């Protein structure tokens, strides 16, 4: 068993492993990361191999001090106006679920950036992640700790099940509080553009910078950022995404799993069924609510966990409800629609 508690000793052992070029999975506020030394090409190559991740999908470098940014990104090459935006974003939203794309320093290995002239950097808002980064090399490359294309892990057990035997250690920090990956914001091309919706809502960024661009439909077809690959974040079970109006009118399928946004939708569906449906335990086991009371924060935090559960209990198909498009809603809908697209592409 290679799961470690994030005690002083656990963190020390995990940090030593990272310094030695080995891989360590660790908790962040978004999802669990698969970490390797960001400046060690052997460790980076191993991350791609373990995940089965194509080399054209660049990694995010995680730091734990604002000052580490200069080692990774070529800040002086930015226009002064962009540098100001960067400063305000870092002051207001770091540490947090926001990844910034910036011109890279030559010392950052090409493997980390898939040969791009830009690099993705994030400062996670999680004590265990910060301690691990500070005690190891100060710059830890970490994609989500799941096989490429599959659901992201939000608990140490998810990592253990999917990749456990290939890692030096898994630091167990309990369930992730945000539960969806970071928002990716590109600052390298003049006007800021969201490449992937995520844990920092667009509204928070726009309150600071004013209107920002993206993500656009054509980015989905031509992945400028592979987190935008149309098929991604997918369970093994086929998933169909429904608007609320559709979802509450679905006929009952005995073998399907249902993922409702909230109790209101679930109750509306049950009331509309042409025969009474037993919601007692046993009857409810294939029906999940992202959030009883309709909180988007709670829905995001539970999303991958519930998809893992439905995937495991062996339903014929997951029918999931699209959530409202505010706050963390776009990030949730993005992950659900990519999970739905995975099936289309697989056939
Ligand atoms: P993951 O680590 O799996 O959450 O994915 C990281 C996301 O950041 C992916 O969508 C990457 O493509 C994106 N990303 C990383 N580096 C860059 C870059 N230099 N330019 C654009 N997107 C990037
Ligand atoms: Mg990922």
């Amino acid at each position: 068993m290679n799961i470690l508690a994030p005690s002083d000793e656990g963190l020390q052992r995990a940090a030593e492993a990272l310094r030695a070029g080995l891989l360590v999975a660790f908790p962040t506020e978004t999802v669990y990361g698969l970490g390797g030394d960001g400046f060690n090409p052997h460790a980076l190559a191993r991350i791609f191999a373990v995940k089965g991740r194509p080399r054209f999908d660049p990694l995010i470098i995680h730091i734990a001090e604002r000052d580490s940014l200069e080692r990774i990104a070529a800040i002086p090459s930015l226009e002064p106006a962009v540098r100001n935006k960067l400063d305000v974003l870092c002051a207001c939203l770091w540490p947090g679920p926001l990844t910034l794309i910036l011109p890279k320093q030559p010392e950052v290995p090409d493997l980390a950036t898939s040969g791009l002239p830009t690099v993705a950097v994030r400062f996670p808002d999680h004590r265990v992640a910060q301690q691990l980064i500070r005690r190891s090399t100060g710059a830890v490359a970490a994609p989500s700790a799941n096989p490429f294309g599959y659901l992201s892990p939000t608990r140490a057990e998810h990592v253990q099940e999917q990749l456990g035997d290939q890692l030096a250690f898994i630091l167990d920090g309990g369930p992730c509080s945000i539960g969806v990956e970071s928002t990716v914001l590109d600052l390298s091309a003049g006007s800021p553009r969201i490449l992937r919706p995520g844990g920092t809502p667009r509204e928070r960024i726009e309150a600071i910078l004013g209107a920002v661009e993206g993500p656009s439909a054509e980015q989905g077809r031509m992945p400028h950022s592979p987190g935008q690959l149309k098929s991604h974040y997918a369970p093994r079970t086929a998933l169909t995404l429904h608007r609320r109006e559709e979802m509450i009118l679905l006929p009952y399928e005995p073998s399907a799993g249902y993922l409702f946004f909230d109790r209101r939708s679930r109750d509306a569906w049950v009331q509309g069924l042409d025969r009474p449906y037993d919601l007692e335990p046993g009857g409810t086991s294939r029906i999940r609510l992202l959030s009883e009371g309709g909180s988007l924060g709670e829905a995001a935090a539970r999303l991958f966990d519930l998809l893992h559960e439905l995937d495991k209990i062996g339903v014929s198909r997951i029918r999931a409800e699209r959530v409202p498009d505010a706050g963390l809603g776009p990030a949730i809908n993005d992950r659900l629609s990519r999970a739905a697209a995975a099936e289309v592409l697989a056939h």
Side-chain angles (χ1 to χ4, degrees), residues 31 51 53 57 143-146 148-150 152 181 196 232-233:
V31 302
K51 272 192 69 104
R53 180 165 170 129
D57 192 355
S144 49
N146 54 286
F148 181 72
Y150 189 59
S152 297
E181 296 81 354
R196 173 178 75 181
H232 215 97
Y233 312 111

Side-chain angles (χ1 to χ4, degrees), residues 16-320:
E16 274 161 27
L18 280 179
R19 279 199 302 271
L22 302 175
L23 304 187
V24 171
F26 61 97
T28 77
E29 77 279 34
T30 59
V31 302
Y32 273 73
L34 172 59
D37 176 4
F39 284 96
N40 178 340
H42 299 290
L44 298 172
R46 186 100 182 97
I47 291 177
F48 285 97
V50 164
K51 272 192 69 104
R53 180 165 170 129
R55 294 270 179 114
F56 63 73
D57 192 355
L59 306 174
I60 297 173
I61 311 276
H62 292 67
I63 58 176
E65 318 277 349
R66 165 66 177 79
D67 290 349
S68 304
L69 184 59
E70 277 73 13
R71 277 175 67 206
I72 294 156
I75 310 296
S77 72
L78 292 171
E79 308 253 331
V82 179
R83 228 177 301 160
N84 286 341
K85 287 180 181 151
L86 171 67
D87 286 341
V88 197
L89 284 171
C90 291
C92 299
L93 299 178
W94 269 9
L98 176 68
T99 294
L100 298 174
I101 308 293
L102 294 161
K104 90 180 204 35
Q105 287 287 19
E107 291 75 24
V108 175
D110 282 332
L111 208 47
T113 65
S114 301
L116 293 171
T118 52
V119 63
V121 194
R122 182 165 105 79
F123 183 168
D125 186 15
H126 194 290
R127 183 194 70 87
V128 176
Q130 291 176 2
Q131 289 276 330
L132 179 70
I133 296 164
R134 287 188 192 127
R135 291 182 190 208
S136 56
T137 63
V140 173
S144 49
N146 54 286
F148 181 72
Y150 189 59
L151 298 172
S152 297
T154 53
R155 295 175 181 273
E157 305 88 82
H158 296 155
V159 184
Q160 174 70 27
E161 282 160 20
Q162 297 173 21
L163 301 175
D165 50 353
Q166 305 187 69
L167 310 176
F169 299 112
I170 301 168
L171 278 168
D172 187 351
C176 301
S177 60
I178 304 259
V180 289
E181 296 81 354
S182 58
T183 300
V184 179
L185 182 71
D186 187 357
L187 287 180
S188 70
S191 51
R193 170 186 291 273
I194 294 177
L195 299 182
R196 173 178 75 181
T200 300
R202 164 186 290 274
E203 295 89 324
R204 290 207 65 193
I205 297 172
E206 294 195 328
I208 296 166
L209 297 184
V212 295
E213 298 172 40
S216 65
E218 93 271 8
Q219 278 171 14
R221 287 195 296 277
M222 246 299 296
H224 177 54
S225 181
Q228 299 167 339
L229 284 174
K230 211 160 181 255
S231 140
H232 215 97
Y233 312 111
R236 305 199 199 286
T237 313
L239 182 145
T240 311
L241 185 57
H242 300 275
R243 282 177 292 115
R244 179 174 191 276
E245 310 84 86
E246 250 168 49
M247 186 84 180
I248 61 177
L249 296 179
L250 286 176
Y252 173 68
E253 281 171 71
S255 61
Y258 295 85
L259 185 61
F260 287 94
F261 172 44
D262 58 4
R263 174 181 279 275
R264 212 176 113 245
S265 295
R266 197 272 317 268
D267 288 352
W269 175 67
V270 170
Q271 278 157 22
L273 292 178
D274 52 12
R275 63 181 176 80
Y277 178 67
D278 180 13
L279 280 179
E280 292 309 304
T284 56
S285 65
R286 287 175 298 96
I287 299 170
R288 298 284 191 283
L289 308 184
L290 283 170
S291 164
E292 282 272 334
S295 143
L296 286 163
E298 188 186 13
R302 286 162 53 80
L303 174 70
F304 284 122
D305 208 18
L306 294 183
L307 287 172
H308 274 108
E309 280 180 26
L310 286 171
D311 217 12
K312 258 190 239 155
I313 62 176
V315 295
S316 60
R317 165 171 303 275
I318 299 169
R319 297 205 173 274

